[in-house]
Amino acid sequence: ARPSLSCTVLAYYVYIPLPNTVSEPWKLRVVDALLRGVMILGNLAHDLGLSHRIYVLNFAVNRFEVQGPRSSKAVLVTDTAFAGVQVRVFESTRRKEGELKRAVIYLHGGGWALGSARMRSYDSLCRRMAEDLKGVVVSIDYRLAPEARFPEQYNDALRASRYFLQPRVLARYSVEPSRVGVSGDSAGGNLAAAVAQQVATDSSSPSKFKVQALIYPVLQALDFNTPSYQQNQNVPILYRPLMAHFWLEYLDGDLSFIQPLLANKHTALDVYWTAQGRAKVNWTQLLPASFRKHYKPVAPAHGLAQVVEEVPALLDPRAAPLLAERDVLARLPRTYILTCEHDVLRDDGLMYGRRLEEAAVSVTHDHYEDGFHGCMVFAFWPAYSSVGQRTVENYIRWLDDNL
């Protein structure tokens, strides 16, 4: 009876209700259960004063995921530093002598606090990109919260990108200067979008990005009640309160602001200095009806101005690229945006795509009805899934066609 009871308790813990269109739901449930378990341990260690909760999460991830640079016949892999920022470089060995290559600068996800370019999943993705594109992929290991807060992650990403874009560095890696792109997923998509904006508007930059490719990017923190936030607030692996937590860790805000953020108290109608920002995240205008569905805006009459006063970076386009002015957006390169139906961040990507199109930027929107946040990682062992494989294949195909 005891083993049976244990199995029942385990099944009860692992099982969570999911939309019936989620791809291979039991794999997602198992990964989510593992993450929830580590988060419980992290919160316990934090409350006991033993360690910051994020350190526990990162230890668990790094203990099983981080691996050294392993080259193969097709790809040379090296760890180095660009302007003091750690990077992992993947170079295809398939090009002919003297032939110039394409290149992608990649920024990993993890809420600006977790993950690494050295993780097996990101190593596998970048290795495959380098091999399939017969090019160079630079995966940036930017610093993480809580040691680094905004704008340090952004500064690391920008500094390493600028270093790579120098003519002498591109020449060292045999890269064609006019065929460099920038990409990232989740928080890495945020950094990629912010870096792309800065490089596009920097007259001193000798090279510009040919493309940007954003994978379920997080792009704003003014509205935590978009239709996708409302629809997917309880869908793993990125729960709505967790995203608010990551934002406050990144922007060095007090975690007591999580509930005001979730209630949109920081953008209430009486918080006047957020009015311009609200217009740029007005999903009633920016989203197609098929994504607005039956959801209603959450716009309290009275709010908490203290949130924006103490966390002004909420309105900084370097932290929230969706808030960039139209003249900045108009300078951006051809863009690919991948979104997933079962993801709180779906509408961030959709709204950014619409604003880019309004600024006359060419945008490819790749949407997955059975996708969820982080599903691209599910293209690799041990969490291999159909939607993960499809996202990777289509993403690399777009890069191959446009870079």
Side-chain angles (χ1 to χ4, degrees):
R2 187 171 298 172
S4 176
L5 177 61
S6 300
C7 292
T8 301
V9 171
L10 180 61
Y12 181 81
Y13 172 75
V14 171
Y15 179 82
I16 54 171
L18 292 173
N20 58 17
T21 53
V22 168
S23 176
E24 301 177 59
W26 274 105
K27 291 182 180 179
L28 179 58
R29 288 187 178 107
V30 170
V31 171
D32 175 66
L34 292 172
L35 288 175
R36 282 188 284 122
V38 174
M39 290 177 68
I40 290 170
L41 292 176
N43 289 333
L44 178 62
H46 190 96
D47 293 342
L48 293 175
L50 301 176
S51 175
H52 195 289
R53 57 176 60 85
I54 289 177
Y55 295 153
V56 177
L57 280 169
N58 258 327
F59 174 81
V61 170
N62 293 344
R63 176 69 177 81
F64 299 102
E65 279 284 311
V66 166
Q67 61 184 32
R70 300 173 184 173
S71 298
S72 66
K73 183 179 293 186
V75 180
L76 174 65
V77 183
T78 54
D79 287 344
T80 185
F82 285 178
V85 180
Q86 295 299 307
V87 299
R88 177 164 287 185
V89 182
F90 303 79
E91 301 174 71
S92 170
T93 60
R94 300 297 193 190
R95 285 284 182 177
K96 298 176 182 177
E97 185 70 28
E99 188 177 6
L100 294 180
K101 303 172 185 176
R102 301 176 284 186
V104 177
I105 293 172
Y106 194 86
L107 293 138
H108 68 81
W112 307 282
L114 305 173
S116 168
R118 296 171 294 146
M119 284 176 58
R120 179 173 51 226
S121 52
Y122 288 114
D123 182 276
S124 298
L125 172 63
C126 293
R127 184 183 301 271
R128 179 167 172 182
M129 290 165 63
E131 184 170 0
D132 289 358
L133 298 173
K134 296 183 175 65
V136 176
V137 178
V138 175
S139 188
I140 299 177
D141 240 348
Y142 54 90
R143 288 171 293 165
L144 303 173
E147 285 93 349
R149 311 282 190 169
F150 175 80
E152 294 310 318
Q153 288 88 333
Y154 164 81
N155 287 340
D156 283 358
L158 181 60
R159 189 162 59 250
S161 298
R162 281 175 165 164
Y163 179 91
F164 184 67
L165 289 172
Q166 295 178 96
R168 63 178 178 84
V169 180
L170 294 175
R172 185 197 313 163
Y173 288 98
S174 300
V175 170
E176 169 61 53
S178 63
R179 303 184 74 186
V180 181
V182 64
S183 183
D185 66 289
S186 192
N190 167 285
L191 295 172
V195 167
Q197 290 179 6
Q198 181 59 39
V199 170
T201 55
D202 183 1
S203 59
S204 66
S205 179
S207 298
K208 303 294 184 183
F209 293 122
K210 185 177 182 181
V211 299
Q212 64 171 342
L214 312 177
I215 313 302
Y216 31 77
V218 50
L219 299 168
Q220 60 85 29
L222 293 188
D223 192 346
F224 284 88
N225 289 277
T226 62
S228 61
Y229 265 114
Q230 294 186 54
Q231 172 183 296
N232 300 306
Q233 58 185 304
N234 296 315
V235 176
I237 53 177
L238 185 60
Y239 298 96
R240 183 165 160 265
L242 181 59
M243 191 64 249
H245 186 131
F246 279 140
W247 268 112
L248 291 171
E249 289 283 3
Y250 180 40
L251 303 183
D252 201 15
D254 194 303
L255 294 183
S256 66
F257 290 152
I258 288 178
Q259 289 307 315
L261 287 181
L262 295 178
N264 281 0
K265 291 288 189 180
H266 59 311
T267 54
L269 300 180
D270 63 344
V271 183
Y272 301 110
W273 49 83
T274 61
Q276 187 177 10
R278 286 199 301 270
K280 294 172 182 173
V281 298
N282 182 4
W283 55 263
T284 64
Q285 299 295 319
L286 294 171
L287 293 182
S290 59
F291 290 104
R292 294 197 304 269
K293 302 180 182 178
H294 61 281
Y295 296 101
K296 304 297 182 184
V298 175
H302 304 289
L304 188 64
Q306 178 189 0
V307 176
V308 181
E309 291 171 354
E310 294 190 17
V311 194
L314 287 165
L315 298 173
D316 191 328
R318 296 175 301 166
L322 184 55
L323 304 184
E325 299 296 336
R326 181 167 179 160
D327 63 328
V328 173
L329 299 181
R331 300 186 186 188
L332 289 170
R334 182 184 297 269
T335 299
Y336 170 91
I337 299 176
L338 186 154
T339 59
C340 295
E341 181 62 23
H342 308 295
D343 180 8
V344 293
L345 301 181
R346 180 198 69 192
D347 296 343
D348 283 27
L350 288 169
M351 289 190 289
Y352 196 51
R354 175 66 181 276
R355 290 204 64 217
L356 287 169
E357 288 174 336
E358 290 176 348
V361 175
S362 175
V363 177
T364 297
H365 177 216
D366 193 11
H367 184 67
Y368 293 83
E369 288 290 339
D370 59 343
F372 48 87
H373 192 79
C375 65
M376 187 174 278
V377 173
F378 284 62
F380 307 101
W381 187 89
Y384 178 90
S385 75
S386 167
V387 69
Q389 187 60 38
R390 280 182 280 120
T391 57
V392 169
E393 288 177 353
N394 292 335
Y395 162 64
I396 294 178
R397 183 181 300 116
W398 186 90
L399 288 172
D400 193 28
D401 291 342
N402 292 276
L403 182 58

